[in-house]
Amino acid sequence: MDPIDVRDVEATLAGLPMEGFCFTWCRDVGLEEVARRFGADPGTGVWAGPEELEDLEEEHHADLLQLVPAGEWTLAFEPHGFQGERDEVMEALSAGGRALSVFWRGERDNRVTYAVDGDIVTSFRLMDFSERSGSDPSALDDLLDRAGLHDGLPAWERKVRALALAETVSGWTLTPEWAHSPQFAVAITSPVPLALVPRAFLHPREPFLDEPEFARILADPSPAMAHAVITTVVSVVAAAVGLQDHPLVEQTLRLLDHGEEVPDEQEALRARLYRDAEEMVMARRREPTPDRAQVERLEQEGHAFHAISNALSPSPVIAAHAAADEAFRIPRLSRTDVMRLLVLRNVADRIRLESLHHP
C-alpha cells in the first residue's frame, strides 16, 4: 500500500494550540450522542465560528468540546482538554461502534488509543512504540507502517503522522479550512467517572490486584490512603527500574516509614533526588556517541528519580498524585508494572478529586 500523505496535516497542525490537543474520532455515533458520552449536555451547545470559539475557550478552557460531522464519523476536538485520552471515555464512545483518539501534551504526555464496541483494542505512547496495551496491541501495525510512524522520528513528525493515521482510519481529512469552520461547542460538565481498575484487568483478573497492599488501597481509595499509595509507588518503581538497593531510594523508604530523623530531612532528600534526576537528563542529552542501552537506562532512572522526589512533596495527597503520575510515564517497563502504576495513578487521581471536593 502507498504511504500516507501528510502535507495537509502539517498545515492543519500549524493552526492548533501550541501546548497540544486531543482529537477523537467516533463512528456510528451521532454528534449529540457523542456529546452525551463525553459528559456534556447537547442542549447547552451552540454552533460557533472562530471568534466565538476563542471566547468559549477562554470561558471553559479544558472543559470545552468542539464537534463536527466527519462522514460516517463524528470528530471531537478538545483544544485544551484530555477526556478523549481516558480509557473510560473511549470505552463509552466506542460502544456499538469504533473510536480513535490522538492526544498530545508534549513529549512526555501523549497517546494514541483505538477502541471497538467498548473494548480498548490498542493503546500506545507516541514517543515509545515498544510498550502497547489492549486486547490486540498490534491491531494498527499495518497503518503505522503506512504512516511512517516508528521510533527515531522527532516529536513534530510523530504528531503529524499520528493525525495522518487517524485520517486513514476515519476516511476524513483534516484541513486548514476545518480549523476555521463553524463547530458545535459544548462544555463537559459531568465527566465520565474514573474506573480505578480498567475492565481489561478484570477479565481475566490480574493477580497483582489481590496482593495485600493493592487490595488494601482499592478497598478504601480515600485521602486516608494517600500515604499507602506513595510508599507503594516508590516500591514498584524501585523494583521495576532496579533501584531497590540505591542509597537514596532506601533513605526515601525509611523516611516514609519512620519519619524524619533530623529537621528538614525530607525536603533535603527531595531536592537531592530532583537534582540527580535532572543530571541524568542532561547526561542523556550530551552523550557524544550515544550507547542506546545507556541512554535508555538514563531515561528510565531519570523518570524514576523524578517520581520518587515527587513522593516527598509536603502534602500526602499532592505527593501521591505527582509520584504516581510521573511513575506511569517511565518508559519500557514490564506489562505488569505498567498495569500496577496505572491503577495507582487512578487511585491517586480519585484521592486528589475527593480532597478537592471535601477539603
Side-chain angles (χ1 to χ4, degrees):
M1 290 187 288
D2 294 333
I4 296 171
D5 190 343
V6 300
R7 287 172 295 182
D8 280 341
V9 180
E10 290 176 333
T12 302
L13 268 176
L16 295 180
M18 293 298 293
E19 66 268 26
F21 52 79
C22 185
F23 281 103
T24 310
W25 284 258
C26 311
R27 179 166 182 164
D28 299 328
V29 184
L31 185 146
E32 291 192 355
E33 180 59 22
V34 169
R36 292 189 189 93
R37 295 188 190 186
F38 264 98
D41 176 2
T44 64
V46 295
W47 283 95
E51 291 186 5
E52 295 166 295
L53 287 172
E54 285 185 14
D55 292 339
L56 290 167
E57 284 183 35
E58 186 84 20
E59 180 180 355
H60 299 292
H61 199 64
D63 296 326
L64 184 67
L65 181 67
Q66 299 171 205
L67 303 168
V68 291
E72 296 178 333
W73 299 66
T74 295
L75 173 61
F77 175 50
E78 299 171 80
H80 307 289
F82 61 90
Q83 295 297 322
E85 188 256 351
R86 297 176 52 213
D87 284 355
E88 297 88 351
V89 175
M90 288 295 288
E91 289 169 355
L93 290 172
S94 67
R98 289 190 282 161
L100 177 77
S101 74
V102 180
F103 172 74
W104 182 273
R105 283 287 180 268
E107 293 187 27
R108 293 168 59 188
D109 195 9
N110 50 77
R111 186 166 292 275
V112 171
T113 303
Y114 178 58
V116 178
D117 198 17
D119 177 48
I120 303 298
V121 176
T122 184
S123 184
F124 53 87
R125 298 172 184 167
L126 279 168
M127 298 306 290
D128 182 9
F129 296 106
S130 63
E131 290 294 337
R132 305 186 201 179
S133 59
S135 60
D136 184 7
S138 62
L140 296 179
D141 278 7
D142 288 346
L143 290 177
L144 288 174
D145 289 341
R146 281 192 63 201
L149 261 174
H150 53 78
D151 284 326
L153 293 174
W156 173 260
E157 277 287 306
R158 298 186 193 222
K159 284 195 289 185
V160 169
R161 295 183 183 279
L163 289 177
L165 166 76
E167 289 185 345
T168 302
V169 172
S170 68
W172 195 80
T173 303
L174 279 170
T175 65
E177 289 73 26
W178 160 83
H180 302 288
S181 64
Q183 298 179 37
F184 187 74
V186 63
I188 298 171
T189 54
S190 302
V192 178
L194 174 71
L196 298 181
V197 180
R199 187 173 64 175
F201 296 5
L202 298 171
H203 308 286
R205 186 176 179 84
E206 294 294 337
F208 78 88
L209 295 171
D210 297 314
E211 294 171 0
E213 196 62 4
F214 268 90
R216 187 168 77 91
I217 289 169
L218 289 170
D220 179 26
S222 69
M225 204 57 66
H227 185 267
V229 172
I230 295 166
T231 57
T232 305
V233 167
V234 173
S235 296
V236 170
V237 166
V241 183
L243 295 171
Q244 306 96 312
D245 299 326
H246 193 288
L248 292 181
V249 176
E250 291 181 337
Q251 186 180 350
T252 299
L253 288 170
R254 195 261 321 147
L255 190 151
L256 289 171
D257 285 341
H258 305 292
E260 293 183 329
E261 291 183 347
V262 296
D264 300 323
E265 180 187 10
Q266 182 166 324
E267 184 55 36
L269 179 56
R270 180 187 177 203
R272 172 70 186 278
L273 286 161
Y274 182 84
R275 187 167 60 250
D276 283 8
E278 290 298 298
E279 287 176 0
M280 290 173 192
V281 172
M282 296 305 297
R284 179 171 61 87
R285 290 175 178 170
R286 64 173 174 258
E287 283 284 324
T289 53
D291 177 309
R292 184 172 179 82
Q294 175 65 9
V295 168
E296 290 181 352
R297 179 68 185 169
L298 285 170
E299 185 178 16
Q300 270 200 330
E301 291 188 354
H303 276 287
F305 272 67
H306 270 302
I308 296 169
S309 72
N310 288 343
L312 295 174
S313 297
S315 163
V317 169
I318 292 173
H321 184 264
D325 191 56
E326 179 63 32
F328 183 67
R329 303 181 197 288
I330 298 173
R332 293 174 294 279
L333 296 182
S334 72
R335 176 176 176 273
T336 300
D337 285 328
V338 170
M339 290 191 292
R340 281 191 173 98
L341 291 170
L342 175 58
V343 171
L344 289 168
R345 187 179 72 162
N346 289 348
V347 172
D349 198 45
R350 171 78 64 84
I351 288 171
R352 181 181 63 86
L353 291 174
E354 185 175 330
S355 69
L356 289 175
H357 294 148
H358 305 285

